[in-house]
């Protein structure tokens, strides 16, 4: 990191912005792709060169001073301009080649997405796909991903989306678990069962619903991963609240209740408006969007209805 006292380069802004956002050296180092000792050394060198303290250290927390806050604010403006320029240039790319960074939930990636992506790659072998499996909503405005497949309607005006399906959720149990237990007939009767829940830090809508509707004594197992919850159901550990497209195709588990209307989500394919006409983004929307729409019956839980009708 170079520069004289009168000159500040973008790398200095990036370091201060990363620390300001994360509130810690460890978080900033993770975002910057370096170890925290390197970021600590950079910050000390920057403060020494500028002759000003940019952060107050309170234990492991880093809080911007007035000077630091000014630099964080300026860095946010610079980042927004750089990202806008990058999107504008990328949006003019007419090549069906290059990299596409996609983000998706773990359940969609596990159950449906790879089959659709394989078809896309057969048709567009010049496009390299990078799939970020993350239940968090990565920031498309900051180019954390080019395309998101998420269960949330886009509200930001800068985003462009295509609705794919409505995705219901309900409780599933294994034949092993249900063999010697009465099936729950309603939400109240779930309290008499072993329920698989989320870890204490989860913010998912399903986690919130479980906390609000199921007594704590019912939870005997918790996990931060829906795939792990699915496997726990299959092992007979208890009942779990799962998206129907995940549970319906598992032969050794079954729905124990009708889908819960309040937990139905909308599945959207989303990108930034500046990127929507990029050739590889447009090709992805056409092929992968079409592939997901062709599987709408599964995504919307129709497969489970068919099974129920044939029981």
């Amino acid at each position: 990191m170079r520069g004289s006292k009168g000159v500040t380069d973008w790398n200095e802004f990036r370091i201060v912005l990363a620390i300001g956002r994360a509130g810690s050296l460890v978080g900033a180092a993770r975002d910057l792709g370096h170890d925290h000792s390197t970021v600590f050394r950079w910050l000390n060198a920057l403060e020494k060169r500028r002759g000003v303290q940019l952060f107050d250290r309170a234990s492991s927390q880093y809080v911007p001073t007035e000077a630091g806050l000014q630099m964080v604010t300026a860095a946010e403006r610079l980042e927004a301009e750089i990202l806008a320029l990058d999107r504008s240039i990328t949006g003019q790319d007419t090549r069906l080649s290059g990299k596409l960074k996609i983000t998706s939930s773990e359940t969609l990636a596990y159950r449906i997405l790879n089959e659709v992506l394989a078809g896309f790659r057969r048709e567009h072998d010049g496009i390299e796909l990078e799939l970020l499996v993350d239940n968090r909503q990565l920031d498309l405005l900051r180019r954390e991903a080019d395309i998101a497949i998420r269960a949330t309607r886009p509200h930001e005006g800068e985003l462009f989306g295509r609705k794919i399906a409505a995705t219901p959720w309900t409780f599933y149990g294994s034949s092993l678990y249900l063999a010697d237990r009465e099936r729950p007939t309603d939400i109240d009767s779930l309290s008499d069962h072993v329920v698989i829940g989320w870890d204490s830090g989860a913010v998912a809508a399903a986690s919130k619903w479980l906390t609000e509707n199921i007594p704590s004594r019912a939870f005997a197992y918790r996990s931060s991963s829906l795939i792990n919850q699915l496997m726990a159901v299959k092992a007979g550990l208890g009942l779990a609240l799962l998206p129907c497209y995940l549970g319906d195709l598992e032969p050794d588990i079954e729905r124990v209740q009708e889908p819960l209307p309040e937990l139905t989500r909308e599945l959207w394919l989303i990108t930034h408006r500046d990127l929507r006409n990029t050739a590889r983004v447009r090709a992805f929307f056409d092929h992968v969007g079409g592939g997901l729409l062709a599987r709408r019956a599964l995504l919307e839980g129709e497969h489970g209805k068919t099974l129920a009708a044939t029981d």
Side-chain angles (χ1 to χ4, degrees):
M1 186 175 63
R2 300 176 181 177
S4 65
K5 189 171 182 178
V7 178
T8 302
D9 64 25
W10 169 236
N11 284 328
E12 292 181 342
F13 282 105
R14 287 180 63 240
I15 293 164
V16 174
L17 181 58
I19 298 172
R21 279 178 172 159
S24 69
L25 288 183
V26 173
R30 181 177 59 248
D31 294 341
L32 292 169
H34 293 276
D35 61 79
H36 75 278
S37 61
T38 299
V39 178
F40 179 71
R41 187 173 68 252
W42 284 346
L43 176 61
N44 285 342
L46 173 57
E47 290 181 328
K48 183 178 180 180
R49 186 164 54 254
R50 294 292 164 185
V52 63
Q53 185 174 340
L54 297 172
F55 293 92
D56 288 324
R57 283 78 159 170
S59 183
S60 60
Q61 294 298 307
Y62 277 60
V63 180
T65 62
E66 184 176 347
L69 188 58
Q70 289 176 349
M71 196 164 181
V72 168
T73 302
E76 289 174 336
R77 290 198 301 267
L78 282 171
E79 182 190 54
E81 292 179 7
I82 290 169
L83 290 172
L85 176 61
D86 179 56
R87 289 192 304 266
S88 177
I89 293 172
T90 303
Q92 300 173 47
D93 193 346
T94 60
R95 300 169 301 165
L96 283 170
S97 60
K99 179 182 288 188
L100 271 180
K101 189 181 292 186
I102 309 129
T103 177
S104 162
S105 69
E106 61 169 349
T107 55
L108 195 68
Y110 170 80
R111 173 51 69 200
I112 294 173
L113 193 55
N114 280 331
E115 181 181 8
V116 183
L117 294 182
F120 177 82
R121 276 284 302 160
R122 286 192 292 270
E123 188 171 319
H124 301 289
D125 59 4
I127 299 176
E128 177 187 349
L129 301 177
E130 179 180 349
L131 180 61
L132 305 175
V133 178
D134 201 321
N135 291 324
R136 296 176 301 122
Q137 291 193 8
L138 299 188
D139 194 339
L140 299 184
L141 305 184
R142 291 172 52 197
R143 292 297 299 277
E144 290 182 343
D146 301 311
I147 296 170
I149 308 171
R150 64 170 62 149
T152 307
R153 178 189 294 266
H155 296 293
E156 302 92 331
E158 299 94 335
L159 300 183
F160 166 80
R162 179 183 184 185
K163 182 180 176 182
I164 301 298
T167 55
W169 290 57
T170 191
F171 282 92
Y172 287 82
S174 70
S175 54
L176 176 65
Y177 173 85
L178 294 169
D180 56 355
R181 293 174 174 86
E182 291 186 10
R183 297 172 67 93
T185 55
D186 53 28
I187 293 173
D188 291 338
S189 62
L190 285 166
S191 61
D192 297 325
H193 285 264
V194 177
V195 178
I196 297 166
W198 291 74
D199 66 294
S200 58
V203 295
S207 173
K208 181 180 179 182
W209 188 94
L210 286 169
T211 300
E212 293 175 349
N213 291 276
I214 305 297
S216 58
R217 68 176 184 276
F219 295 100
Y221 182 83
R222 296 179 182 272
S223 174
S224 61
S225 164
L226 270 175
I227 300 302
N228 184 260
Q229 291 182 30
L230 168 67
M231 302 310 292
V233 174
K234 290 166 69 70
L237 270 169
L239 306 178
L241 185 56
L242 302 172
C244 293
Y245 66 77
L246 179 64
D248 282 348
L249 293 188
E250 298 293 332
D252 48 354
I253 69 173
E254 59 185 280
R255 298 183 187 184
V256 297
Q257 288 189 337
E258 290 298 313
L260 300 163
E262 62 269 33
L263 283 177
T264 296
R265 294 291 178 264
E266 293 182 345
L267 185 67
W268 285 76
L269 188 59
I270 307 168
T271 190
H272 196 285
R273 287 189 178 277
D274 291 346
L275 301 180
R276 61 182 293 190
N277 291 320
T278 305
R280 56 184 177 272
V281 171
R282 192 168 61 246
F284 189 94
F285 263 66
D286 289 344
H287 187 105
V288 176
L292 292 173
L293 284 170
R295 293 161 175 79
R296 178 182 280 175
L298 171 60
L299 289 166
E300 296 195 336
E302 295 296 325
H303 185 83
K305 289 182 181 179
T306 301
L307 288 178
T310 58
D311 284 345

